[in-house]
Amino acid sequence: MSASFAPECNEVKERYDTCFLKWYSEKFIRGTAKEDECEPLFQKYKTCLTKALKDKGIESMIEEARADNKENDVEFMKPSSGAKCKYNSQEDPRSQLISV
Amino acid sequence: MKIFSARHEYNYSWEEVSTNNWRKYCPWNDKAEHVIGVDVLSRSLDKSTGILRTERLITCKQALPSWLKSFFGSNDTSLVYEVSYVNPREKSVTMCSQNLTWSELLSVQETVRYTAGNSPGKTNFDQTAKIIALCGGWQKIKNSIEEATVDRFSKNAAKGREGFERVLAISREAFAEQCRQQKLVA
C-alpha cells in the first residue's frame, strides 16, 4: 500500500491498510460485513495522523474542504445516487466553458 | 473554466477494480511517482444502506513549470482532499476530490466513478474534472493557468490509467498464485 505523508505513521498505517483490504475484499464486497472490523487499528493510526496534521497546520484546510463537500455526502450516501460531485463555493460566473 | 473528461472500460470485474482502487498508489504502480502519500482521514460504514464512506488526504510532489512558480510559489508539494462512497448493492464507487493547496488561486474539482459494466468481468470508469483559475486579473493569464493545469491533469490521468492496469494485472496474478499454493498445500 502507499505511504503516509507523515513517515512516523507508516508502520501503524501499514497494519491498518492490510486489515482493511482483507476486510473489504472478503466481507464488505460480498455483502457480509456487519461492522468495520479494523476500527480499533484505525484509531491507533488516526492518533498518529491527527498529531501530524496539527503539527503541519493542515487541519483547518481539511475542515474547509469537508464543509464544502456536504452536498456530496447527502447525494452519495443515498441508496441510489447521481453521477457528479458538486461544490457550493468557487464558481466564477465570468468563466468560459471549454471542453477538452 | 475548463472541463476535462475521460472514459474507459476495464477488463476486470467491479469487485476487482473497487478492491484494487485502494492500492492504486502502491509500489506495483510505477506510473504514479508524483503521489507520495495517501492517508485515510476517516472511514465509516452506514449500516442501513451498506455504503462505505472514506475521507483521504493525497499528497503529491510534482515540479511546476517555471512560469507558474511566480503565481504558485516554489512549493512543489500539493494536497488533495478526496471523499469516496462505495455502494456495494448498486456496485458503484464515486470519488469526489478537490485541491487543498493553492485553493485561493485555482479550483480543481474531480469526479471519478467506477460502475459495473454491461457484461460480467467489465467495469466502466468515468472521470470529470472542472478546472477554474480564481486569481483576479487578465483572462489571458487565467486561461494560461487553466490550460497548463488541464495539460498536467490529462497527462497524470493517462499515466494513472496505465499504472492502475498494471496494479490490476499483478493483483490477479498474485491471487492466482495464492490459489495454486493453497491447492498444493491441500
Side-chain angles (χ1 to χ4, degrees):
Chain A
M1 299 282 272
S2 23
S4 170
F5 94 101
E8 66 273 25
C9 304
N10 270 338
E11 200 194 295
V12 62
K13 178 188 191 298
E14 202 181 313
R15 275 194 289 149
Y16 168 67
D17 280 343
T18 307
C19 174
F20 170 75
L21 206 62
K22 193 173 156 61
W23 172 80
Y24 185 90
S25 59
E26 291 176 6
K27 294 193 176 162
F28 176 78
I29 214 94
R30 293 178 190 175
T32 60
K34 299 260 185 311
E35 56 187 358
D36 182 354
E37 292 167 13
C38 306
E39 177 66 21
L41 266 176
F42 180 70
Q43 287 309 326
K44 284 188 185 167
Y45 164 44
K46 197 182 170 185
T47 306
C48 182
L49 189 63
T50 305
K51 190 183 177 303
L53 293 173
K54 258 199 195 117
D55 291 348
K56 301 210 168 148
I58 300 171
E59 265 190 328
S60 60
M61 277 199 255
I62 294 173
E63 276 308 320
E64 274 175 42
R66 192 172 277 144
D68 209 18
N69 189 63
K70 283 267 171 352
E71 228 179 298
N72 293 326
D73 285 329
V74 174
E75 180 61 32
F76 295 109
M77 291 306 283
K78 286 193 288 201
S80 188
S81 58
K84 261 201 196 130
C85 310
K86 286 187 198 132
Y87 301 91
N88 286 325
S89 62
Q90 297 175 341
E91 278 290 352
D92 182 347
R94 290 169 302 171
S95 62
Q96 53 179 145
L97 202 147
I98 300 169
S99 285
V100 178
Chain B
M1 177 167 89
K2 302 259 189 301
I3 308 272
F4 168 84
S5 72
R7 281 197 141 170
H8 182 59
E9 187 185 60
Y10 284 101
N11 282 320
Y12 293 87
S13 68
W14 181 83
E15 285 76 7
E16 279 177 287
V17 171
S18 96
T19 301
N20 283 294
N21 182 41
W22 297 116
R23 52 180 169 207
K24 181 174 173 185
Y25 301 115
C26 76
W28 290 347
N29 185 342
D30 56 356
K31 303 281 180 210
E33 293 97 347
H34 65 287
V35 177
I36 57 168
V38 179
D39 282 286
V40 180
L41 298 167
S42 80
R43 187 163 262 151
S44 56
L45 176 67
D46 185 317
K47 282 175 189 155
S48 62
T49 57
I51 295 173
L52 181 72
R53 178 187 185 272
T54 305
E55 282 182 300
R56 297 199 298 182
L57 178 73
I58 321 279
T59 311
C60 305
K61 198 179 173 76
Q62 199 165 29
L64 290 173
S66 54
W67 70 271
L68 267 180
K69 283 187 185 160
S70 54
F71 296 96
F72 293 94
S74 56
N75 177 17
D76 58 359
T77 302
S78 60
L79 301 169
V80 174
Y81 172 79
E82 171 205 272
V83 186
S84 64
Y85 309 88
V86 186
N87 185 333
R89 291 173 199 165
E90 196 185 59
K91 292 200 180 181
S92 70
V93 177
T94 308
M95 307 165 83
C96 304
S97 313
Q98 52 176 308
N99 60 309
L100 292 180
T101 317
W102 307 311
S103 57
E104 67 286 5
L105 291 174
L106 183 73
S107 159
V108 181
Q109 300 168 352
E110 186 197 27
T111 305
V112 167
R113 294 252 306 167
Y114 292 105
T115 47
N118 293 327
S119 48
K122 304 252 188 214
T123 303
N124 296 323
F125 165 82
D126 281 282
Q127 180 183 32
T128 318
K130 208 160 79 175
I131 293 155
I132 310 166
L134 301 160
C135 49
W138 295 333
Q139 190 60 43
K140 211 174 159 186
I141 293 175
K142 289 167 66 160
N143 247 331
S144 310
I145 292 176
E146 288 173 354
E147 270 161 23
T149 310
V150 169
D151 182 56
R152 174 62 59 89
F153 199 94
S154 63
K155 279 178 187 147
N156 284 343
K159 282 204 294 184
R161 194 169 85 189
E162 212 183 310
F164 192 36
E165 286 278 9
R166 194 175 130 93
V167 170
L168 286 162
I170 297 176
S171 165
R172 186 177 273 186
E173 183 49 43
F175 186 68
E177 179 59 29
Q178 200 185 343
C179 292
R180 279 197 290 273
Q181 296 283 346
Q182 276 170 1
K183 270 186 199 151
L184 282 176
V185 175

